[in-house]
Amino acid sequence: MTANEILKDLKSRKFKPLYLLHGDEPYFIDEVSDYIEDKVLNEAEKGFNQTVLYGKDTDIMTVINAARRFPMMAEYQVIIVKEAQDMKWGKEDADKKGLNPVLSYLENPLQSTILVLCYKYGKFDKRKKAYKAIEKNGIVMESAALYDNKVPGWIEGYTTAKGYRISAQASAMLAEYLGNDLSKIANELSKLMLNVPAGQEITLKHIQENIGISKEYNVFELQSALIRKDVLKANQIVNYFEANPKANPIVLVLGNMNNFFSKVLLFHYVKDKANAARELGVSPYFLKDYEQAARSFDYYKTLQIISFLREYDLKSKGVDSNASHGELMKELVFKIIH
């Protein structure tokens, strides 16, 4: 089931005794577990019937023993295990009596307990008996990271759900700048919405003014200057980065540039240019930048630029270099353009 499907059932108070939320994208795991933590029980019921545990501080038998308790003056008790990937799960083998208490519970869970296991930053082993028991008697949600080209659409859906609209250019810019870290995007949008009246469209100007992306001096303008081989503008932007290192850390700048030129390299391979945006996994709004970059830098030069970016990433971390980040960026710009 997806997070939206689970949330729909939860809002209708259709509960399962077991929830395994696992996968690489923590946002959806938090979305479901936070709703259960906040909404299933009222404040009076939570005192006796809600337990939040952390994987590194507990083990599976402690969780199972807690799950076997009956609720006090409530219909349900809720047990949430956060960071369950750090929990000691124990062996699945039966004991001398032929029993395994963990599997025994998962195969026949107490219907008045809602046990939520938040297993982040990886997938739970589907071969395990525990997985199969939870899948049979509860809900399993695999929270996969979104592909880059799906992020603008997610941003549009998120803003709509919050009572706002967002322009295609703004959602594309936000996705390009922040990547596919949904928790970070949601956090930045939440802060931005404090400064934009509900119902109003969020524009590129709002993004630039509230999320620290300078209108003239940002990594996208730097990439544009490099594509045009505009030495003056590129160095003006690098000087701005040097003067504002917290807003433009070199690791973020190099990371964005590496992502951009890796897609320029892929563009050289794409035979059907009409489907290039889909092949590259980018918004059609930005496709013209990749087309222009491919004209400015042929296949071999693009390979060389990617090599430069990796070299200067290491230098920025102190490998074989004592130069400042500003000096490194100026050297890199010179090598890219020339």
Side-chain angles (χ1 to χ4, degrees), residues 253-303:
V253 173
L254 293 178
N256 274 298
M257 289 177 65
N258 184 69
N259 184 51
F260 176 77
F261 281 104
S262 294
K263 288 176 179 175
V264 173
L265 183 65
L266 180 58
F267 184 88
H268 282 292
Y269 280 103
V270 174
K271 293 181 179 179
D272 184 4
K273 302 303 185 186
N275 292 319
R278 182 170 57 82
E279 293 289 336
L280 270 61
V282 301
S283 166
Y285 175 74
F286 285 110
L287 185 60
K288 63 182 185 299
D289 295 334
Y290 296 96
E291 293 173 338
Q292 189 175 353
R295 289 194 295 269
S296 296
F297 306 109
D298 65 20
Y299 172 81
Y300 296 103
K301 180 62 177 180
T302 306
L303 274 178

Side-chain angles (χ1 to χ4, degrees), residues 254 304-317 319 321 328 331-332 335:
L254 293 178
Q304 186 183 49
I305 290 170
I306 292 171
S307 177
F308 287 151
L309 288 167
R310 292 173 179 170
E311 175 190 350
Y312 279 80
D313 178 59
L314 290 174
K315 286 184 175 182
S316 73
K317 295 167 183 172
V319 178
S321 176
L328 291 174
E331 288 178 15
L332 177 60
K335 289 185 176 182

Side-chain angles (χ1 to χ4, degrees), residues 32-268:
V32 173
S33 64
D34 287 350
Y35 184 90
I36 293 173
E37 184 177 353
D38 295 338
K39 303 295 185 181
V40 169
L41 301 179
N42 62 41
E43 292 304 317
E45 293 171 332
K46 287 179 183 178
F48 290 106
N49 298 292
Q50 184 153 292
T51 304
V52 178
L53 302 169
Y54 289 84
K56 65 181 180 180
D57 300 323
T58 192
D59 58 76
I60 189 61
M61 275 310 304
T62 299
V63 173
I64 294 302
N65 288 333
R68 287 198 176 105
R69 296 196 300 261
F70 288 94
M72 294 181 61
M73 297 177 289
E75 188 176 358
Y76 298 99
Q77 73 151 336
V78 172
I79 299 172
I80 300 172
V81 184
K82 299 187 177 185
E83 313 294 342
Q85 73 277 3
D86 296 329
M87 181 171 63
K88 294 179 181 178
W89 285 81
K91 297 180 179 179
E92 293 194 322
D93 299 330
D95 60 18
K96 293 180 180 179
K97 296 180 181 179
L99 299 173
N100 180 302
V102 174
L103 288 177
S104 294
Y105 181 82
L106 297 178
E107 288 168 355
N108 188 27
L110 202 62
Q111 296 299 308
S112 58
T113 293
I114 299 171
L115 173 58
V116 185
L117 303 170
C118 304
Y119 193 100
K120 292 182 176 181
Y121 311 114
K123 298 178 183 178
F124 194 91
D125 190 341
K126 296 180 181 180
R127 298 169 297 178
K128 287 185 174 291
K129 294 177 182 178
Y131 179 92
K132 294 174 182 176
I134 297 171
E135 187 177 41
K136 179 181 178 181
N137 299 297
I139 294 291
V140 174
M141 182 192 80
E142 183 176 330
S143 180
L146 289 187
Y147 290 112
D148 290 348
N149 63 326
K150 300 293 184 183
V151 175
W154 181 87
I155 292 171
E156 290 169 14
Y158 180 89
T159 52
T160 299
K162 297 292 185 180
Y164 291 81
R165 292 173 293 117
I166 187 168
S167 69
Q169 295 92 335
S171 61
M173 172 67 81
L174 194 59
E176 191 79 7
Y177 187 71
L178 297 177
N180 64 350
D181 185 336
L182 301 187
S183 297
K184 186 175 182 180
I185 293 171
N187 183 55
E188 292 293 344
L189 281 171
S190 295
K191 291 189 290 186
L192 185 152
M193 288 172 185
L194 295 174
N195 298 307
V196 180
Q200 187 172 328
E201 182 177 68
I202 296 170
T203 65
L204 201 57
K205 184 179 180 182
H206 291 126
I207 299 294
Q208 292 166 339
E209 290 178 349
N210 294 280
I211 303 185
I213 306 176
S214 168
K215 187 175 181 179
E216 293 186 63
Y217 302 105
N218 58 66
V219 67
F220 310 107
E221 290 300 322
L222 175 59
Q223 287 165 182
S224 180
L226 293 174
I227 292 168
R228 300 191 310 272
K229 299 188 178 180
D230 186 337
V231 177
L232 177 60
K233 183 64 176 180
N235 279 290
Q236 285 176 339
I237 294 170
V238 168
N239 288 335
Y240 179 86
F241 287 174
E242 187 175 19
N244 299 273
K246 290 185 179 180
N248 304 277
I250 193 170
V251 63
L252 177 62
V253 173
L254 293 178
N256 274 298
M257 289 177 65
N258 184 69
N259 184 51
F260 176 77
F261 281 104
S262 294
K263 288 176 179 175
V264 173
L265 183 65
L266 180 58
F267 184 88
H268 282 292

